[in-house]
């Protein structure tokens, strides 16, 4: 007698998994297209972050060059194109 309720629940459980699989199959193309569009496009915040990184990198490079120039001027090894403060 205890097996009888289990037999009635078995089709209901498999129907849920079939419905879940059907939903997954239907939504898969939408997910693929949206992730493809997201990979190709750049949001404004991503563009701002990229520009900020580029600016910081350029400022670091200029700082290194300025320190190297000051070092050359201080040690008396200035190049002809260097403009050393007197």
């Amino acid at each position: 007698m205890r097996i009888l309720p289990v037999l009635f629940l078995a089709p209901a459980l498999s129907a849920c998994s079939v419905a879940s699989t059907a939903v997954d199959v239907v939504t898969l193309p939408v997910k693929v297209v949206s992730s493809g569009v997201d990979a190709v496009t750049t949001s404004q915040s991503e563009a701002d972050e990229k520009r900020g990184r580029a600016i910081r990198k350029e400022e670091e490079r200029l700082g290194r060059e300025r320190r190297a120039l000051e070092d050359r001027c201080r040690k008396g090894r200035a190049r002809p194109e260097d403009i050393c403060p007197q």
Side-chain angles (χ1 to χ4, degrees):
M1 276 309 214
R2 291 183 184 182
I3 296 176
L4 193 58
V6 174
L7 292 176
F8 287 124
L9 289 177
L13 292 176
S14 65
C16 290
S17 66
V18 170
S20 174
T21 304
V23 169
D24 290 343
V25 169
V26 169
T27 59
L28 183 65
V30 174
K31 290 179 183 178
V32 168
V33 169
S34 66
S35 50
V37 168
D38 189 40
V40 173
T41 58
T42 303
S43 70
Q44 186 62 45
S45 64
E46 290 171 332
D48 292 344
E49 290 171 5
K50 185 177 179 182
R51 181 67 181 137
R53 279 192 298 271
I55 290 171
R56 281 191 300 278
K57 198 172 192 179
E58 179 67 13
E59 288 175 348
E60 290 171 2
R61 185 188 64 79
L62 291 173
R64 284 191 302 272
E65 289 179 2
R66 181 184 49 80
R67 287 188 299 275
L69 172 66
E70 290 172 354
D71 189 47
R72 285 193 306 267
C73 288
R74 191 175 345 102
K75 292 181 179 179
R77 290 187 264 158
R79 298 176 186 161
E81 67 270 8
D82 289 344
I83 300 173
C84 295
Q86 298 299 332

